[in-house]
Amino acid sequence: MTGSPLTAARFAESIEALSIPPGRDRVRMRDVFALAERFIDLPIAEIDRLLDSHVHEIRVGALSIMGKRSARKGTPDVTRRELLELYLRRVDRIDTWDLVDVSAHQVIGGYLLDRPRDVLYRLARSPRWWERRIAMQATLTFVRAGDLDDTFALADILISDEHDKVHTVVGGMLREAGKHDRDRLLGFLDRHAATAPRVLLRYTIEHLEPERRAHYLALGKRRAPGPAESTP
């Protein structure tokens, strides 16, 4: 983006201009993502300022910028590291499922693809549900590369989680992992289907053939439903 310097204030003004109709709160996500592409070189200190916003779409934009910058070919490792550190430092501002899903796999998963992943296990044991979701969502990058170990290991940790927004991401990542290693997924299901939360199980088995889905759902009926937390 050329012209005057990229700033958090300019990004926020641009978001306001995208509202439908002007002056209202509703902004199409595709427009937010397109704007993030234009602001991809926004200085990290300015991204940090965006994360302070009470406007949800502005925080979505900030995280989209971070993800796009992290995934862009040619972004230096030092910058990708700075983006990771900012993400982890401001994780309190990434507290809805869609904020997590915008870029956890790019900012965290992309950076850790060829590095130690201890931070994911710390996040998976956090008392805050969105940090647990971040841990699992980050593994999408690994799965796409055919690296499934951490997805299954984290699923073992989170299989009994009580929050529905953790259930969905665990089930979704297991489903994706199963596309690469069906036998490993079936083995996981054989161990856990009888006790897994119902929503997690449904997400996991979504792409299995009807007979297998019916089999695992029947196993899952043995589990007494537990209390589900509501999303803040």
Side-chain angles (χ1 to χ4, degrees):
M1 190 172 182
T2 59
S4 53
L6 298 179
T7 65
R10 282 188 66 198
F11 186 88
E13 290 168 1
S14 299
I15 287 287
E16 184 176 353
L18 292 171
S19 60
I20 308 169
R24 301 295 292 275
D25 291 335
R26 189 163 65 88
V27 180
R28 290 186 293 254
M29 282 298 112
R30 67 173 182 267
D31 293 334
V32 175
F33 299 145
L35 184 64
E37 187 69 48
R38 292 167 53 202
F39 277 78
I40 193 170
D41 290 312
L42 186 68
I44 289 176
E46 296 296 304
I47 299 174
D48 197 354
R49 291 186 177 93
L50 291 180
L51 291 172
D52 280 326
S53 178
H54 69 281
V55 178
H56 183 74
E57 290 84 359
I58 290 177
R59 283 190 285 158
V60 170
L63 290 158
S64 181
I65 291 168
M66 294 172 73
K68 292 176 186 299
R69 178 98 60 87
S70 294
R72 182 176 62 179
K73 290 182 179 180
T75 296
D77 273 353
V78 64
T79 301
R80 294 170 63 230
R81 175 71 186 185
E82 289 171 352
L83 290 165
L84 172 75
E85 290 172 347
L86 172 61
Y87 193 107
L88 294 174
R89 187 170 73 250
R90 301 308 309 275
V91 74
D92 62 307
R93 304 297 295 160
I94 311 171
D95 58 355
T96 67
W97 70 267
D98 55 336
L99 290 173
V100 170
D101 292 3
V102 166
S103 63
H105 57 296
Q106 295 168 319
V107 178
I108 298 184
Y111 186 80
L112 298 181
L113 189 58
D114 55 357
R115 294 178 172 87
R117 301 167 185 176
D118 304 56
V119 65
L120 299 183
Y121 294 86
R122 177 176 63 78
L123 290 168
R125 292 181 171 90
S126 168
R128 301 194 287 192
W129 70 262
W130 56 91
E131 294 191 19
R132 305 195 300 274
R133 185 176 178 102
I134 286 168
M136 200 70 193
Q137 178 67 23
T139 71
L140 178 58
T141 296
F142 310 157
V143 171
R144 287 173 173 171
D147 180 351
L148 312 180
D149 289 351
D150 291 288
T151 299
F152 282 104
L154 289 166
D156 274 326
I157 293 171
L158 296 171
I159 192 67
S160 298
D161 201 282
E162 293 187 348
H163 203 286
D164 60 338
K165 294 301 185 290
V166 178
H167 300 170
T168 55
V169 74
V170 172
M173 292 304 104
L174 286 171
R175 181 189 63 227
E176 295 307 304
K179 295 176 183 179
H180 293 263
D181 192 335
R182 178 184 172 86
D183 288 343
R184 190 168 184 180
L185 175 62
L186 295 179
F188 185 93
L189 286 166
D190 289 342
R191 295 193 305 275
H192 294 296
T195 57
R198 194 74 168 174
V199 172
L200 188 159
L201 182 58
R202 285 190 176 277
Y203 271 69
T204 303
I205 66 176
E206 187 176 12
H207 291 309
L208 297 181
E209 59 273 17
E211 295 80 7
R212 284 195 183 274
R213 290 202 306 271
H215 167 70
Y216 288 119
L217 286 172
L219 292 179
K221 289 181 180 177
R222 302 176 188 173
R223 180 184 188 267
E229 295 180 49
S230 59
T231 304

Coordinates of all heavy atoms in Angstrom, one line a residue, residues 10 18 24 29 33 46 58 83-84 86 103 113 122 125 130 133-134 153 171 173 175 183 199 201 204 213 217-218:
R10 N -5.3 4.5 10.6 CA -5.7 4.4 9.3 C -6.5 3.1 9.0 O -7.5 3.1 8.3 CB -4.5 4.5 8.3 CG -4.0 5.9 8.1 CD -2.9 5.9 7.0 NE -3.5 5.5 5.7 CZ -2.9 5.1 4.6 NH1 -1.5 5.0 4.7 NH2 -3.5 4.9 3.5
L18 N -15.9 0.7 5.7 CA -16.5 -0.5 5.1 C -17.8 -0.9 5.7 O -18.5 -1.9 5.2 CB -15.5 -1.7 5.3 CG -14.2 -1.6 4.6 CD1 -13.3 -2.7 5.0 CD2 -14.4 -1.7 3.0
R24 N -22.7 2.0 10.6 CA -23.2 0.8 11.4 C -22.0 -0.1 11.7 O -20.9 0.1 11.3 CB -24.2 0.1 10.5 CG -25.4 1.0 10.1 CD -26.2 1.4 11.3 NE -26.9 0.3 12.0 CZ -28.1 -0.2 11.6 NH1 -28.7 0.4 10.6 NH2 -28.6 -1.2 12.2
M29 N -16.7 -9.9 6.3 CA -15.4 -10.4 6.6 C -14.5 -10.4 5.4 O -13.3 -10.2 5.5 CB -15.5 -11.8 7.2 CG -15.9 -11.8 8.7 SD -14.7 -11.0 9.8 CE -15.6 -9.6 10.3
F33 N -10.6 -9.0 5.3 CA -9.4 -9.7 4.8 C -8.7 -9.0 3.7 O -7.5 -9.0 3.6 CB -9.8 -11.2 4.5 CG -10.4 -12.0 5.6 CD1 -11.4 -12.9 5.4 CD2 -10.0 -11.8 6.9 CE1 -12.0 -13.6 6.4 CE2 -10.5 -12.5 7.9 CZ -11.5 -13.4 7.7
E46 N 2.0 -1.2 15.6 CA 0.7 -0.7 15.2 C -0.3 -1.9 15.2 O -1.5 -1.7 15.6 CB 0.8 -0.1 13.8 CG 1.6 1.2 13.7 CD 1.1 2.3 14.5 OE1 -0.1 2.7 14.3 OE2 1.8 2.8 15.4
I58 N -11.9 -5.1 13.8 CA -10.5 -4.5 13.9 C -9.5 -5.6 14.4 O -8.4 -5.8 13.8 CB -10.5 -3.2 14.7 CG1 -11.2 -2.1 13.9 CG2 -9.0 -2.8 15.0 CD1 -11.3 -0.8 14.7
L83 N 6.1 -11.7 15.3 CA 4.7 -11.9 15.2 C 4.2 -13.0 16.2 O 3.2 -12.9 16.8 CB 4.3 -12.3 13.8 CG 4.5 -11.1 12.8 CD1 4.4 -11.7 11.3 CD2 3.4 -10.1 13.0
L84 N 5.0 -14.1 16.3 CA 4.6 -15.1 17.2 C 4.6 -14.6 18.6 O 3.7 -14.9 19.4 CB 5.6 -16.3 17.1 CG 5.6 -17.4 18.2 CD1 4.4 -18.3 17.9 CD2 6.8 -18.2 18.2
L86 N 4.2 -11.5 19.7 CA 3.1 -10.6 19.9 C 1.8 -11.4 20.1 O 1.0 -11.1 21.0 CB 3.0 -9.7 18.6 CG 1.7 -8.8 18.6 CD1 1.7 -7.9 19.8 CD2 1.6 -8.1 17.3
S103 N -5.7 -17.0 12.2 CA -4.3 -17.1 11.9 C -3.4 -17.9 12.9 O -2.2 -17.9 12.8 CB -3.7 -15.7 11.8 OG -3.8 -15.0 13.1
L113 N 6.7 -25.1 12.5 CA 6.7 -26.3 11.6 C 8.0 -27.1 11.7 O 8.0 -28.3 11.7 CB 6.5 -25.8 10.2 CG 6.3 -26.9 9.2 CD1 5.1 -27.8 9.5 CD2 6.0 -26.3 7.8
R122 N 1.8 -26.3 26.6 CA 1.4 -25.3 27.6 C 0.1 -24.7 27.4 O -0.8 -24.6 28.3 CB 2.5 -24.2 27.7 CG 2.2 -23.1 28.7 CD 3.3 -22.1 28.8 NE 3.5 -21.4 27.6 CZ 2.8 -20.3 27.2 NH1 1.7 -20.0 27.9 NH2 3.1 -19.7 26.1
R125 N -3.0 -26.8 28.1 CA -3.3 -27.0 29.6 C -3.7 -25.7 30.2 O -3.8 -25.7 31.5 CB -2.1 -27.7 30.3 CG -1.8 -29.1 29.8 CD -0.6 -29.7 30.5 NE -0.5 -31.1 30.2 CZ 0.2 -31.6 29.2 NH1 0.9 -30.8 28.4 NH2 0.3 -32.9 29.0
W130 N -9.9 -20.5 25.0 CA -9.4 -20.0 23.7 C -7.9 -20.4 23.5 O -7.4 -20.6 22.4 CB -9.6 -18.6 23.5 CG -9.1 -17.6 24.5 CD1 -7.9 -17.0 24.5 CD2 -9.8 -17.2 25.7 NE1 -7.8 -16.2 25.6 CE2 -9.0 -16.3 26.3 CE3 -11.1 -17.4 26.2 CZ2 -9.3 -15.6 27.5 CZ3 -11.4 -16.8 27.4 CH2 -10.6 -15.9 28.0
R133 N -7.9 -23.9 22.4 CA -8.3 -23.9 21.0 C -7.1 -23.5 20.1 O -6.9 -24.1 19.0 CB -9.5 -23.0 20.7 CG -10.0 -23.2 19.3 CD -11.3 -22.3 19.0 NE -11.7 -22.5 17.6 CZ -12.6 -23.2 17.2 NH1 -13.4 -23.9 18.0 NH2 -12.9 -23.3 15.9
I134 N -6.4 -22.5 20.5 CA -5.2 -22.1 19.7 C -4.2 -23.2 19.6 O -3.7 -23.4 18.5 CB -4.5 -20.9 20.4 CG1 -5.4 -19.6 20.3 CG2 -3.1 -20.7 19.9 CD1 -4.9 -18.4 21.2
A153 N -1.5 -36.1 19.7 CA -1.0 -36.0 21.1 C -1.9 -34.9 21.8 O -2.3 -35.1 23.0 CB 0.5 -35.6 21.1
G171 N -12.2 -32.0 17.0 CA -12.8 -32.9 16.0 C -12.4 -32.5 14.6 O -12.1 -33.4 13.8
M173 N -9.6 -31.0 13.6 CA -8.2 -31.3 13.3 C -8.0 -32.8 13.1 O -7.3 -33.3 12.3 CB -7.3 -30.7 14.3 CG -7.2 -29.2 14.4 SD -6.7 -28.5 12.8 CE -8.3 -27.8 12.2
R175 N -10.3 -34.9 12.0 CA -10.9 -35.2 10.7 C -9.9 -34.9 9.6 O -9.7 -35.8 8.7 CB -12.1 -34.3 10.5 CG -12.8 -34.6 9.1 CD -13.9 -33.5 8.9 NE -13.3 -32.2 8.8 CZ -13.8 -31.1 9.5 NH1 -14.8 -31.2 10.3 NH2 -13.2 -29.9 9.3
D183 N -6.0 -45.1 9.2 CA -5.9 -46.1 10.2 C -5.6 -45.5 11.6 O -6.1 -46.0 12.6 CB -4.8 -47.1 9.8 CG -5.2 -48.0 8.7 OD1 -6.4 -48.1 8.4 OD2 -4.3 -48.6 8.0
V199 N -20.2 -33.6 20.2 CA -19.9 -32.7 19.1 C -18.5 -33.0 18.5 O -18.3 -33.0 17.3 CB -20.0 -31.2 19.6 CG1 -19.4 -30.3 18.5 CG2 -21.4 -30.9 19.9
L201 N -17.0 -35.9 18.5 CA -17.1 -37.1 17.8 C -17.7 -36.9 16.4 O -17.2 -37.4 15.4 CB -18.0 -38.1 18.6 CG -18.1 -39.5 18.0 CD1 -16.8 -40.2 17.7 CD2 -19.0 -40.4 18.9
T204 N -15.3 -35.3 14.1 CA -14.2 -36.2 13.7 C -14.6 -37.2 12.6 O -13.8 -37.5 11.7 CB -13.7 -37.0 15.0 OG1 -13.3 -36.1 16.0 CG2 -12.6 -37.9 14.7
R213 N -19.6 -44.2 10.6 CA -20.2 -43.1 11.4 C -21.2 -43.7 12.4 O -21.2 -43.3 13.6 CB -20.8 -42.1 10.5 CG -19.8 -41.3 9.7 CD -20.4 -39.9 9.3 NE -21.7 -40.0 8.6 CZ -21.8 -40.2 7.3 NH1 -20.7 -40.2 6.5 NH2 -22.9 -40.3 6.7
L217 N -20.9 -43.5 16.5 CA -22.0 -42.8 17.2 C -22.7 -43.7 18.2 O -23.1 -43.2 19.3 CB -23.0 -42.2 16.2 CG -22.5 -41.0 15.4 CD1 -23.5 -40.7 14.3 CD2 -22.3 -39.8 16.3
A218 N -22.8 -44.9 17.8 CA -23.4 -45.9 18.8 C -22.5 -46.1 20.0 O -23.0 -46.1 21.1 CB -23.6 -47.2 18.1

